[in-house]
């Protein structure tokens, strides 16, 4: 039988016509094509694989980090950089220091956690979950819902209907802002090294969005702080407390010291000697005593230098309808309901911050070497002074910022007639009061050209009257002529050190502790933005630049010495001059000390945020600052610390300020 047998075709199957492929041949030809289609990748596939690889590597590294001995990171660091110095708590424990005075922490704006107790349907499942602090997961999952719940009522400054967001309590309220980013945690750990524990430490957490008096109206927070300080003093043998406020917490505790001694119902009824009986020292960290220009740019255009630079790098991204959010507009809508932000508007007007052609910091140049070399740098300082008109907190155009005031004419804006923009109805979701100004109002603001600290409050009243109507009922920004005037008994003056007195407590000490050596925002150059349906009409002009390395102007922002957020002038003036000795603001002569910490960035990434940082929040991990705090908590006085520690010209700047004392 032949080995090459033909398969017998079924009766109903016809042989293929000449030139026509059989079905088997078609299958053979189709296979290579199908194989090529299987190799085709879409962009989505590539993105998914990329994200998956990143996540896998991240979790693997995290597993290794958690699995390795706790001493391994320190071993690697010391192998590279050499032996690390002992943390302050360990060092001082070796010296024999022990816990003595109870310690009270007062957190600042945004660093304390907030959690949901009641919300709308979109917040289902978030009961007692953190809306602020922690992982911020809800920002990405439901951003518009998050904005609604983080905003306050635009009329009352309290809770919107159906929403209750409350501060987290205990030390965990502000030990970490988010996982891995410490605020108070490092200081708490070092205090624990000399014997402190939860019964000798108290976190005075509060809802930092509210005006200071409204924290008492809504939550009775001031009463709780009073009771807890009394308790912690009584349970520690009557030893007075050391109070450690940070950032806006400095202003909050200044308000508290007046509230606690003022008679009820406006005050706490503690009597005129309450502070003298319960407080050993107030150690203010990064205190914006006289406000910060950064607060002005935030309220005026919802930006500061970093956001302005981001807008320049990616034009339009922050203004576009990204994920159904006009980002900056929603930020402005939300933050303008936070009355606390208005506590940091610059205080003291032109007397403190300077006028159109002068400022206390005249002559400052960024280079520390040139700044400290008075012999060889005088010419450079004079040249620089011509270009840095710090007193003009807002200027419209670089030419206006640099010109003498006699070279330009300003047109009054306060009585300008406002109009109404024809805006799409969707803009009402992000209404920011700029809708009510109209093009006439916007032009009037630009025509005034330059705004000093004395003009800023009027400017904000013009562009945001509803916001400032609330703010002006809770905060003040002037200088008292006569502190015996009964009007200064109102709580709106209590957080302004220029319109209130320190308590009658001659044995108490007040410290002003802050970082220096970092360029800090002081004044801005603005421009008008193109008109659109939903827009903020003003923005920082990032194209404005000084042109040389010694210039204080970069990316439309003039900078001075400070901690990156608070200028040294604001943090240091009251302890350098306003409260120094017996003055009308400090009638009992409470001793004041300035402790500046010169910024040194971390030498390498293994040092994290650094142990010598002077940055506004990172300073909380500064070894020198923590050592000063621990020594005072253990019983030391300011004189025993060495008195003042100064790196800037804060005393020289303070002398230029003509303030009646």
């Amino acid at each position: 039988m032949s080995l090459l047998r033909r398969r017998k075709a079924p009766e109903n199957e016809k042989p293929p016509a000449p030139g026509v492929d059989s079905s088997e041949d078609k299958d053979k030809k189709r296979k290579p094509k199908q194989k090529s289609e299987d190799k085709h990748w879409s962009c989505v596939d590539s993105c998914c694989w990329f994200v998956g690889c990143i996540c896998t590597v991240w979790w693997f590294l995290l597993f290794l980090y958690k699995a390795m001995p706790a001493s391994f990171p320190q071993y690697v660091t010391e192998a590279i950089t050499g032996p690390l110095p002992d943390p302050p708590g360990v060092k001082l424990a070796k010296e024999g220091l022990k816990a003595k005075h109870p310690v009270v922490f007062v957190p600042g704006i945004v660093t304390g956690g907030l959690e949901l107790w009641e919300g709308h349907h979109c917040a289902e499942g978030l009961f007692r979950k953190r809306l602020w602090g922690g992982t911020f997961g809800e920002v990405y999952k439901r951003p518009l819902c998050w904005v609604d719940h983080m905003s306050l009522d635009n009329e009352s400054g309290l809770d919107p209907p159906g929403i209750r967001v409350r501060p987290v309590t205990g030390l965990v309220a502000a030990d970490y802002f988010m996982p891995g980013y410490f605020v108070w945690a490092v200081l708490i750990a070092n205090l624990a090294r000399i014997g402190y524990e939860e019964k000798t430490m108290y976190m005075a957490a509060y809802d930092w969005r509210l005006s200071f008096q409204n924290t008492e109206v809504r939550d009775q927070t001031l009463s709780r702080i009073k009771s807890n300080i009394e308790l912690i003093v009584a349970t520690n043998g009557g030893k007075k407390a050391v109070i450690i406020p940070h950032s806006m917490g400095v202003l909050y505790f200044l308000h508290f010291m007046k509230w606690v001694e003022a008679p009820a119902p406006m005050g706490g009824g503690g009597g005129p000697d309450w502070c003298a009986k319960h407080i050993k020292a107030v150690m203010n960290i990064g205190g914006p005593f006289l406000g910060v220009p950064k607060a002005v740019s935030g309220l005026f255009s919802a930006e500061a230098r970093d956001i302005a630079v981001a807008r320049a790098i990616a034009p339009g991204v922050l203004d576009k309808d990204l994920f159904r959010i006009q980002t900056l507009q929603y930020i402005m809508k939300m933050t303008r309901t936070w009355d606390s932000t208005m506590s940091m508007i610059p205080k003291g007007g032109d007397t403190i911050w300077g006028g159109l052609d002068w400022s206390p910091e005249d002559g400052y140049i960024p280079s520390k070497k040139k700044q400290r070399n008075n012999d060889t740098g005088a010419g450079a300082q004079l040249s620089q002074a011509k270009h840095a008109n710090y007193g003009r907190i807002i200027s419209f155009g670089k030419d206006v910022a640099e010109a003498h005031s006699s070279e330009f004419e300003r047109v009054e804006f306060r009585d300008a007639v406002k109009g109404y923009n024809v805006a799409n109805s969707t803009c009402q979701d992000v209404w920011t009061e700029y809708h009510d100004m109209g093009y006439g109002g916007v032009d009037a603001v630009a025509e005034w050209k330059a705004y000093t600290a004395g003009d800023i409050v009027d400017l904000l009243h013009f562009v945001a009257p509803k916001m400032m109507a609330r703010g002006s009922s809770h905060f003040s920004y002037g200088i008292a002529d006569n502190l015996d005037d009964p009007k200064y008994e109102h709580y709106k003056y209590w957080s302004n050190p220029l319109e209130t007195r320190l308590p009658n407590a001659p044995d108490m000490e007040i410290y002003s502790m802050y970082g220096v050596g970092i360029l800090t925002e002081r004044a801005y150059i603005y421009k008008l933005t193109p008109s659109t349906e939903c827009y903020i009409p003003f923005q920082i002009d990032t194209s404005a630049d000084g042109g040389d390395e010694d210039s204080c102007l970069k990316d439309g922002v003039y900078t001075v010495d400070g901690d990156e957020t608070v200028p040294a002038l604001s943090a240091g003036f009251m302890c350098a001059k306003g409260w120094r000795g017996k003055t009308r603001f400090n009638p009992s002569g409470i001793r004041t000390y300035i402790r500046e910490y010169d910024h040194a960035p971390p030498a390498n990434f293994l040092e994290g945020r650094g142990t010598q940082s002077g940055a506004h929040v990172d300073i909380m991990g500064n070894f020198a600052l923590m050592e000063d705090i621990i020594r005072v908590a253990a019983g030391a006085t300011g004189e025993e610390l060495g008195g003042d520690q100064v790196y800037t010209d804060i005393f020289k700047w303070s002398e230029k300020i003509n303030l009646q004392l």
Side-chain angles (χ1 to χ4, degrees):
M1 182 182 292
S2 173
L3 295 175
L4 298 175
R5 289 184 174 178
R6 293 181 178 273
R7 182 177 62 86
K8 185 177 180 182
E11 294 180 359
N12 59 350
E13 183 178 328
K14 297 181 180 179
V20 179
D21 293 337
S22 66
S23 60
E24 289 183 2
D25 293 336
K26 289 181 179 178
D27 291 340
K28 289 179 181 178
K29 290 183 178 180
R30 192 180 298 126
K31 284 180 181 178
K33 185 177 180 182
Q34 183 177 352
K35 190 173 182 181
S36 65
E37 289 177 353
D38 291 340
K39 289 183 178 180
H40 179 70
W41 285 77
S42 69
C43 293
V44 175
D45 295 326
S46 300
C47 290
C48 290
W49 272 100
F50 177 74
V51 172
C53 290
I54 293 294
C55 292
T56 302
V57 172
W58 169 255
W59 285 111
F60 178 69
L61 293 175
L62 185 63
F63 169 77
L64 291 180
Y65 180 80
K66 294 293 185 182
M68 71 175 63
S71 60
F72 185 72
Q74 181 178 346
Y75 171 79
V76 173
T77 303
E78 291 185 350
I80 297 174
T81 64
L84 297 176
D86 285 334
V90 174
K91 173 186 174 182
L92 298 180
K94 290 178 180 178
E95 292 183 14
L97 269 66
K98 300 291 184 183
K100 184 177 181 180
H101 295 275
V103 171
V104 177
F105 309 113
V106 186
I109 192 170
V110 310
T111 53
L114 299 174
E115 60 187 17
L116 183 70
W117 281 81
E118 180 185 3
H120 295 159
H121 180 72
C122 66
E124 190 71 30
L126 297 181
F127 176 68
R128 294 198 65 200
K129 297 289 184 12
R130 288 200 182 197
L131 292 186
W132 188 270
T135 61
F136 286 91
E138 298 312 313
V139 179
Y140 312 111
K141 294 178 183 176
R142 30 192 155 182
L144 295 184
C145 182
W146 179 82
V147 167
D148 286 341
H149 286 74
M150 282 298 298
S151 299
L152 295 170
D153 185 84
N154 223 359
E155 299 293 333
S156 66
L158 296 169
D159 292 321
I163 293 176
R164 282 186 294 150
V165 175
R166 297 293 181 265
V168 178
T169 58
L171 294 178
V172 297
D175 53 353
Y176 288 92
F177 178 60
M178 61 178 64
Y181 191 89
F182 70 83
V183 182
W184 295 91
V186 177
L187 177 57
I188 291 171
N190 277 274
L191 284 165
R193 294 282 192 173
I194 67 165
Y196 280 90
E197 50 189 292
E198 196 143 10
K199 68 181 181 181
T200 50
M201 293 188 287
Y202 166 61
M203 182 72 72
Y206 60 99
D207 190 337
W208 44 261
R209 301 173 302 162
L210 300 174
S211 70
F212 302 159
Q213 193 70 6
N214 272 347
T215 64
E216 174 67 14
V217 171
R218 196 193 73 179
D219 301 333
Q220 293 74 54
T221 302
L222 297 173
S223 294
R224 294 172 186 272
I225 294 174
K226 175 178 181 283
S227 298
N228 278 288
I229 291 177
E230 291 172 346
L231 176 64
I232 204 171
V233 168
T235 56
N236 282 277
K239 297 182 180 69
K240 298 178 185 179
V242 172
I243 315 297
I244 312 171
H246 172 244
S247 188
M248 192 187 75
V250 168
L251 301 179
Y252 186 67
F253 195 76
L254 190 63
H255 179 98
F256 170 83
M257 287 194 293
K258 292 297 293 184
W259 174 89
V260 73
E261 294 189 345
M266 188 180 295
D273 59 350
W274 190 94
C275 291
K277 289 180 177 178
H278 295 90
I279 301 175
K280 166 185 163 53
V282 183
M283 308 190 76
N284 302 292
I285 304 174
F289 286 106
L290 303 176
V292 287
K294 207 170 187 176
V296 175
S297 64
L299 293 170
F300 188 56
S301 61
E303 60 182 346
R305 181 176 182 174
D306 47 359
I307 294 179
V309 171
R311 292 176 80 170
I313 294 173
V317 171
L318 290 176
D319 302 304
K320 288 183 178 177
D321 193 356
L322 185 65
F323 303 120
R324 297 184 64 192
I325 292 183
Q326 294 85 18
T327 313
L328 284 183
Q329 286 86 338
Y330 272 98
I331 291 173
M332 177 173 282
K333 174 189 174 184
M334 177 175 68
T335 56
R336 279 191 174 183
T337 68
W338 299 347
D339 289 350
S340 61
T341 59
M342 287 174 275
S343 71
M344 293 183 289
I345 294 172
K347 303 173 177 68
D350 296 3
T351 300
I352 298 293
W353 294 92
L356 289 174
D357 297 310
W358 81 278
S359 67
E361 304 103 323
D362 279 347
Y364 169 78
I365 53 178
S367 172
K368 291 200 299 184
K369 291 182 179 179
K370 292 183 179 179
Q371 176 70 10
R372 293 175 183 175
N373 190 344
N374 294 327
D375 295 330
T376 61
Q381 289 181 354
L382 290 173
S383 174
Q384 181 63 19
K386 295 179 181 178
H387 301 287
N389 293 313
Y390 293 123
R392 306 174 194 181
I393 294 180
I394 288 179
S395 301
F396 278 89
K398 183 182 176 184
D399 54 340
V400 171
E402 295 180 345
H404 191 273
S405 61
S406 61
E407 298 177 18
F408 58 86
E409 182 180 352
R410 299 195 290 173
V411 179
E412 181 60 61
F413 72 93
R414 294 171 179 84
D415 299 323
V417 177
K418 296 182 180 181
Y420 290 89
N421 293 342
V422 180
N424 189 297
S425 59
T426 58
C427 295
Q428 298 308 312
D429 294 337
V430 288
W431 177 77
T432 60
E433 294 200 65
Y434 279 127
H435 286 82
D436 294 346
M437 285 184 62
Y439 302 121
V442 170
D443 290 340
V445 169
E447 286 301 313
W448 186 244
K449 293 186 174 59
Y451 293 83
T452 65
D455 302 320
I456 288 297
V457 175
D458 290 337
L459 171 66
L460 292 175
H461 270 289
F462 185 78
V463 301
K466 291 180 180 290
M467 177 190 76
M468 290 301 291
R470 294 193 324 271
S472 296
S473 66
H474 288 279
F475 303 107
S476 67
Y477 311 103
I479 300 174
D481 294 324
N482 178 15
L483 286 169
D484 292 324
D485 190 324
K487 77 175 186 179
Y488 292 113
E489 297 174 4
H490 192 274
Y491 60 77
K492 68 178 286 185
Y493 301 101
W494 292 348
S495 61
N496 182 355
L498 301 174
E499 293 188 292
T500 191
R501 292 189 180 102
L502 289 177
N504 183 22
D507 295 331
M508 194 171 82
E509 295 180 328
I510 293 183
Y511 297 78
S512 189
M513 315 170 77
Y514 54 93
V516 296
I518 309 178
L519 298 180
T520 304
E521 297 173 34
R522 178 65 164 82
Y524 304 89
I525 295 178
Y526 269 84
K527 66 179 180 179
L528 294 177
T529 58
S531 299
T532 57
E533 289 180 345
C534 304
Y535 80 117
I536 298 171
F538 314 107
Q539 71 179 64
I540 296 172
D541 185 0
T542 54
S543 65
D545 196 272
D548 61 78
E549 61 178 9
D550 291 331
S551 175
C552 297
L553 175 62
K554 186 176 182 182
D555 298 323
V557 180
Y558 283 102
T559 55
V560 292
D561 206 346
D563 68 0
E564 202 171 32
T565 297
V566 183
L569 181 71
S570 179
F573 171 78
M574 292 308 298
C575 282
K577 183 175 180 179
W579 290 331
R580 182 67 51 126
K582 286 190 176 183
T583 70
R584 65 191 182 106
F585 304 110
N586 181 17
S588 66
I590 295 172
R591 286 162 293 176
T592 62
Y593 301 96
I594 289 181
R595 304 288 291 177
E596 294 182 345
Y597 303 89
D598 200 15
H599 174 73
N604 55 68
F605 74 94
L606 294 173
E607 288 188 18
R609 289 152 64 189
T611 60
Q612 300 178 64
S613 176
H616 189 62
V617 177
D618 294 354
I619 197 174
M620 304 291 277
N622 184 297
F623 277 17
L625 177 137
M626 287 191 288
E627 183 174 333
D628 285 349
I629 290 174
I630 295 171
R631 288 189 183 278
V632 172
T637 65
E639 291 299 325
E640 290 170 334
L641 291 185
D644 296 322
Q645 174 179 279
V646 176
Y647 295 96
T648 67
D649 287 330
I650 182 62
F651 288 107
K652 184 187 298 183
W653 297 337
S654 298
E655 284 306 311
K656 293 182 182 179
I657 295 174
N658 184 20
L659 178 67
Q660 178 192 349
L661 298 176

